[in-house]
Amino acid sequence: MTLENEPPWGTPCTQLLVYVAMPGCDGFPNLDSKESYKLIVSKGSMLLSAEAIWGVLRGLETFSQLVGRDENGTYYINETEIVDFPRFPHRGLLLDTSRHYLPLRAILETLDVMAYNKFNVFHWHIVDDPSFPYESSTFPELSKKGAFNAMTHVYTASDVRAVIDYARLRGIRVIPEFDTPGHTLSWGPGAPGLLTPCYVVQEPSGTYGPINPILNSTYEFVTSLFQEVSSVFPDFFLHLGGDEVDFTCWRSNPKIQAFMKEMDFGDDYKKLESLYIQRLLEIVSSLGKGYIVWQEVFDNDVVVRPDTIIHVWKENLLTPYKEEMANVTRAGYHALLSAPWYLNRISYGQDWMEAYRVEPLDFRGSPEQKALVIGGEACMWGEYVDVTNLTPRLWPRAGAVAERLWSNSTVRNMDDAYARLSEFRCTLLGRGVQAQPLYVGYCENEFGEV
Amino acid sequence: MAFNKFNVFHWHIVDDQSFPYQSIYFPELSDKGAYSCNLIYTPADVRLVIEYARLRGIRVIPEFDTPGHTQSWGKGQKDLLTPCYNGGQPTGSFGPVNPILNTTYDFMTKFFKEISSVFPDAYIHLGGDEVDFSCWKSNPEVKEFMKKQGFGSDYAKLESYYIQNILDIVSSYNKGQIIWQEVFDHKAQLKPDTVVQVWMANSYAHELSSVTGAGFPAVLAAPWYLDYISYGQDWKKYYRVEPLDFPGSEEQKKLLIGGEACLWGEFVDATNLTPRLWPRASAVGERLWSSRNVTDLQDAYRRLRNHRCRMLRRGIAAEPVFVGYCAHEGRRP
């Protein structure tokens, strides 16, 4: 055994010293949480320092990725000095638990891997047309009648608390989305009278449309529900949805037609939608919450509070997202970008590259406008996704989005990103995460090996 | 596969990137060509696969694809691959199997002797697809050989020369041969029962006509490349395929012996194999088993969803067909 081939091991380090400027870790992370940290590894000492506990969490994750293991089983780490902080404060992942129910362990595992990727917002699109798995204490009938199965496909109050706390310990905010007035079919069975009855030639057809915006009972219901949601979910922000409202049912309903005439809205049902949304926003505001809404709310000229966050999701020839980003920020609103990051839209090949190449601030606008972009979210809509394919479909592809939102805009070399992402994928495998391959090759620790 | 009445496992076991098959005669092939020493299939592993398949009524047809797709073979078998040249000098990189050396055929004779005895099925898949001629074209000895053989500048003739030799070798071991369509397209001389696998998506119906018109049995894979994922219910487009929808006589149609769903591995491994395969492959399974008139999509949708839940119950992580749920999933007590 020749000594000159031995690596230059320094003195063994046995502890990482952690220093936090602001003591205490009982609180919840928020949009203004400080996630910066400094990590110094030198001969004989390793020091992690941060302003707040959230920075410590980020630094610990980085530290865990710096530690290697040689063929003899010795753990090692290179000397290094890192000063790190996120580019955008809102780096989120959307999961959809209505199109398919996701068992609690799948959500918790996703939160783990989000933390490995420094994601800090879990956007929980918890209910939608197909099912209502959220067990409401105020309106137990909603999940009783609206869940796929009221016994097995629900999130109890304790499940929800578990998610919120598991996320908190990882520096991840939980922002629930109760999307209205569209995307609410599953609300109907448990809340009779809530949805608009559709008509066919003057007779009720038996089918239902969006929430009925002309009834007082609607706003009473909405107030009570959001009162509960506001107290269950501690984050300042709620996502109120507001996307893809189909006007056909409203148009068919004679009472609504009469209301439209009364209000002098003519044939512009966007005005009716706005009326509902405006009242909803007022209700939520008075409950002391801020809100995020899908872009249609802005596009349809609804009057919203100045600190409203507009979530940009549409991408097509008519509405290219870069234009929308420009419009939203020009109007003075904060923007969240998701349009190029719909990870549910799978395709053949290394689509992570497209996600990585996105530059969120690449739109026409002043520096003041660009400062209004608070970040973005990778979305994993659930039409074709459940626990059988969630993890391989999410990772490592979502990692490309995570880096784009954390790192400096100059970090965009594809070859380097490929090398790091494929190695990170092997790291994920080693941590028991069923992350799929980026391309041909192998990892030292393959998935499923004994 | 057995749950879906598939009956052939086409094992594309080696290719450019790695050689995981542990050969008894040529241990260096996997020693040097596998990704790593534990990412191999030992003879015991291979026997296990064959027996496991047999008990399920599934044939195992191995594919040792040559002369292209063989980069990994060169690591453990010196002088098997053609050295590429640039400006009169070897570049250090290699191309397809070298078709002009006797040593090549000595190797293949011995190698396929092993394969013929290890794999009991009557057929072996010999590949023959996507041969890149540029390296052959660059090699002075190959060019010399082309001249001697009177092949002119038609390298398809050299490819056919090579393949014909391999087919003869495999024939001598009393094995039938399956080859990818290029071998047929490039006019190699094939034995009468050689099975041609049609994989190129462009005008595959036309190719089926040509192959069966020339009297060869055909296996259809072209519209069933399951590795080509896309957003939405793509099982429908696999289900809608009618293999016999090609111009041809009754006799020709009889030569279409079946098809294969292919899940190429560029982006697939144990982490995503099962959800990517099932239940999408089930659409192919039904198309190949059921009568021609079983085509109602709505009925198929209902049954496919049930079948997906059935596979879930059996512990197979088959992915969802669409929005919904299975009774036996959800929260565990």
Side-chain angles (χ1 to χ4, degrees):
Chain A
M1 180 143 55
T2 49
L3 282 171
E4 62 252 32
N5 289 331
E6 292 277 323
W9 298 137
T11 15
C13 318
T14 52
Q15 55 183 4
L16 172 71
L17 282 170
V18 180
Y19 171 75
V20 200
M22 279 192 292
C25 43
D26 309 329
F28 286 93
N30 60 55
L31 184 57
D32 305 313
S33 292
K34 304 231 178 341
E35 298 175 280
S36 58
Y37 65 91
K38 197 165 171 186
L39 180 63
I40 303 176
V41 176
S42 57
K43 283 192 184 11
S45 86
M46 305 188 291
L47 174 65
L48 168 61
S49 64
E51 254 195 82
I53 190 65
W54 316 114
V56 172
L57 292 179
R58 304 299 170 237
L60 280 174
E61 178 54 42
T62 297
F63 178 76
S64 77
Q65 293 183 28
L66 292 174
V67 178
R69 204 171 184 196
D70 72 8
E71 62 276 6
N72 298 321
T74 308
Y75 292 101
Y76 66 86
I77 185 169
N78 286 340
E79 288 190 64
T80 188
E81 199 174 307
I82 294 175
V83 173
D84 198 11
F85 54 90
R87 182 179 175 201
F88 293 104
H90 183 124
R91 306 178 305 282
L93 184 69
L94 177 151
L95 285 187
D96 168 1
T97 56
S98 174
R99 274 58 179 263
H100 285 96
Y101 178 79
L102 290 175
L104 191 60
R105 65 189 150 87
I107 298 178
L108 299 183
E109 189 203 57
T110 301
L111 290 170
D112 275 335
V113 192
M114 282 172 67
Y116 302 158
N117 285 267
K118 297 190 177 66
F119 275 109
N120 67 354
V121 175
F122 169 36
H123 174 169
W124 194 348
H125 188 90
I126 187 168
V127 298
D128 202 300
D129 282 331
S131 75
F132 196 104
Y134 171 75
E135 256 184 13
S136 161
S137 52
T138 322
F139 300 105
E141 291 290 294
L142 285 173
S143 62
K144 239 199 196 145
K145 299 255 165 66
F148 281 138
N149 179 307
M151 296 300 295
T152 56
H153 290 61
V154 289
Y155 302 107
T156 62
S158 119
D159 291 337
V160 174
R161 275 196 300 273
V163 169
I164 293 170
D165 201 59
Y166 201 88
R168 184 186 82 81
L169 292 173
R170 286 151 183 77
I172 297 170
R173 302 161 54 199
V174 179
I175 300 181
E177 178 185 349
F178 285 85
D179 190 354
T180 69
H183 288 278
T184 44
L185 284 179
S186 67
W187 302 44
L194 179 68
L195 303 183
T196 310
C198 311
Y199 276 65
V200 159
V201 198
Q202 311 304 329
E203 289 299 311
S205 67
T207 59
Y208 295 87
I211 285 184
N212 194 330
I214 72 174
L215 303 176
N216 284 334
S217 52
T218 290
Y219 299 101
E220 279 155 29
F221 171 87
V222 161
T223 303
S224 299
L225 180 66
F226 279 95
Q227 208 153 21
E228 173 186 322
V229 170
S230 297
S231 80
V232 168
F233 292 91
D235 199 85
F236 174 69
F237 284 94
L238 296 181
H239 201 302
L240 302 177
D243 61 314
E244 298 181 313
V245 184
D246 185 351
F247 298 146
T248 333
C249 186
W250 282 351
R251 266 210 180 88
S252 75
N253 184 297
K255 294 208 178 88
I256 293 197
Q257 285 162 11
F259 184 84
M260 289 289 285
K261 208 174 280 172
E262 219 184 284
M263 301 294 292
D264 213 15
F265 284 165
D267 190 55
D268 191 357
Y269 281 80
K270 284 201 186 146
K271 295 203 164 96
L272 183 59
E273 180 193 31
S274 301
L275 183 110
Y276 166 84
I277 292 274
Q278 241 142 250
R279 281 191 72 170
L280 171 66
L281 300 185
E282 276 158 35
I283 290 165
V284 173
S285 250
S286 69
L287 291 167
K289 293 292 195 188
Y291 39 76
I292 312 178
V293 288
W294 296 111
Q295 67 181 74
E296 285 97 321
V297 173
F298 167 80
D299 295 342
N300 295 348
D301 299 311
V302 178
V303 172
V304 298
R305 257 175 32 191
D307 63 349
T308 307
I309 299 173
I310 308 293
H311 201 158
V312 177
W313 69 273
K314 287 176 153 178
E315 171 62 345
N316 51 53
L317 288 164
L318 249 88
T319 39
Y321 74 84
K322 293 185 184 184
E323 238 176 72
E324 184 74 5
M325 295 292 280
N327 293 341
V328 166
T329 53
R330 194 182 315 116
Y333 298 107
H334 289 90
L336 261 186
L337 181 61
S338 277
W341 289 326
Y342 266 36
L343 300 186
N344 55 308
R345 296 204 148 256
I346 57 172
S347 57
Y348 180 72
Q350 292 196 58
D351 60 352
W352 71 270
M353 292 186 171
E354 236 178 274
Y356 191 76
R357 284 196 188 100
V358 170
E359 175 35 64
L361 301 187
D362 185 24
F363 61 89
R364 299 171 108 145
S366 64
E368 289 73 40
Q369 274 177 260
K370 311 243 169 155
L372 290 171
V373 178
I374 58 167
E377 289 187 359
C379 297
M380 186 53 78
W381 293 102
E383 283 85 348
Y384 303 99
V385 177
D386 77 358
V387 72
T388 57
N389 59 358
L390 175 71
T391 301
R393 193 159 293 191
L394 262 181
W395 315 104
R397 291 156 78 230
V401 182
E403 177 156 300
R404 180 52 51 231
L405 291 171
W406 175 280
S407 296
N408 193 284
S409 62
T410 54
V411 178
R412 29 187 6 105
N413 181 284
M414 298 309 294
D415 291 333
D416 181 66
Y418 175 80
R420 286 181 296 106
L421 191 59
S422 45
E423 198 193 305
F424 181 62
R425 184 255 171 176
C426 293
T427 301
L428 289 179
L429 277 194
R431 294 180 180 187
V433 178
Q434 202 164 329
Q436 67 179 15
L438 275 187
Y439 192 46
V440 301
Y442 72 106
C443 294
E444 287 307 332
N445 38 303
E446 287 289 312
F447 178 73
E449 274 190 334
V450 178
Chain B
M1 283 174 67
F3 301 161
N4 290 269
K5 297 191 175 69
F6 277 100
N7 67 349
V8 175
F9 169 37
H10 172 173
W11 194 349
H12 188 89
I13 186 168
V14 299
D15 203 298
D16 281 328
Q17 285 84 3
S18 75
F19 197 105
Y21 172 77
Q22 190 174 50
S23 160
I24 302 150
Y25 287 155
F26 301 100
E28 297 264 286
L29 286 172
S30 61
D31 272 356
K32 301 261 163 63
Y35 276 138
S36 81
C37 52
N38 53 323
L39 296 181
I40 59 170
Y41 302 107
T42 62
D45 293 334
V46 174
R47 273 195 300 274
L48 176 59
V49 168
I50 293 169
E51 177 63 4
Y52 201 92
R54 185 187 78 83
L55 292 172
R56 287 154 181 74
I58 297 171
R59 300 162 53 196
V60 178
I61 300 182
E63 176 185 348
F64 287 90
D65 189 354
T66 71
H69 287 280
T70 44
Q71 290 294 298
S72 66
W73 299 51
K75 307 235 161 76
Q77 186 66 20
K78 289 272 158 298
D79 303 326
L80 179 66
L81 306 182
T82 314
C84 310
Y85 277 67
N86 193 341
Q89 292 301 315
T91 63
S93 59
F94 298 86
V97 170
N98 195 330
I100 74 175
L101 303 177
N102 286 333
T103 49
T104 292
Y105 302 106
D106 294 338
F107 166 81
M108 291 294 174
T109 301
K110 197 154 182 215
F111 184 75
F112 279 103
K113 179 170 187 208
E114 173 183 323
I115 301 309
S116 301
S117 87
V118 167
F119 293 89
D121 198 81
Y123 283 83
I124 299 182
H125 200 305
L126 300 171
D129 62 314
E130 300 181 312
V131 184
D132 184 349
F133 297 150
S134 42
C135 186
W136 283 350
K137 282 181 179 153
S138 77
N139 183 297
E141 280 157 34
V142 174
K143 285 196 282 217
E144 185 59 43
F145 185 83
M146 288 286 287
K147 209 176 283 173
K148 255 198 253 159
Q149 294 285 324
F151 290 158
S153 62
D154 189 359
Y155 282 80
K157 292 207 166 96
L158 181 59
E159 179 196 88
S160 299
Y161 166 87
Y162 166 83
I163 277 279
Q164 269 152 215
N165 284 334
I166 302 303
L167 298 179
D168 283 342
I169 289 168
V170 171
S171 253
S172 74
Y173 297 123
N174 287 317
K175 293 290 191 183
Q177 303 108 47
I178 315 185
I179 38 95
W180 295 111
Q181 68 181 75
E182 287 99 313
V183 176
F184 167 82
D185 295 341
H186 297 166
K187 306 193 182 6
Q189 264 180 332
L190 308 174
K191 313 252 176 293
D193 293 317
T194 307
V195 179
V196 179
Q197 188 159 14
V198 175
W199 71 271
M200 294 170 122
N202 253 338
S203 353
Y204 69 81
H206 182 251
E207 181 75 4
L208 285 177
S209 295
S210 305
V211 168
T212 55
F216 296 106
V219 163
L220 180 62
W224 291 323
Y225 266 36
L226 302 189
D227 55 316
Y228 285 161
I229 58 172
S230 59
Y231 181 69
Q233 291 194 56
D234 58 356
W235 70 270
K236 291 185 183 175
K237 81 171 176 229
Y238 303 137
Y239 193 74
R240 280 195 191 101
V241 172
E242 175 37 64
L244 296 183
D245 251 351
F246 65 89
S249 64
E250 277 294 307
E251 286 69 47
Q252 273 179 266
K253 310 256 168 147
K254 289 207 184 93
L255 287 172
L256 195 288
I257 60 171
E260 282 185 3
C262 297
L263 195 70
W264 295 101
E266 283 84 347
F267 305 100
V268 177
D269 76 358
T271 57
N272 59 359
L273 173 72
T274 302
R276 192 160 292 193
L277 255 184
W278 315 104
R280 291 156 79 232
S282 305
V284 183
E286 177 156 300
R287 181 52 51 235
L288 292 171
W289 175 279
S290 293
S291 165
R292 183 173 186 151
N293 56 18
V294 179
T295 53
D296 184 277
L297 270 176
Q298 267 175 342
D299 183 66
Y301 173 77
R302 196 188 40 84
R303 289 181 297 104
L304 189 64
R305 293 192 61 135
N306 271 344
H307 192 49
R308 184 259 170 169
C309 291
R310 176 181 297 118
M311 288 192 278
L312 263 199
R313 281 199 301 277
R314 295 180 180 187
I316 306 295
E319 65 177 10
V321 177
F322 192 47
V323 171
Y325 72 110
C326 292
H328 297 86
E329 40 154 55
R331 62 192 302 116
R332 300 233 191 88

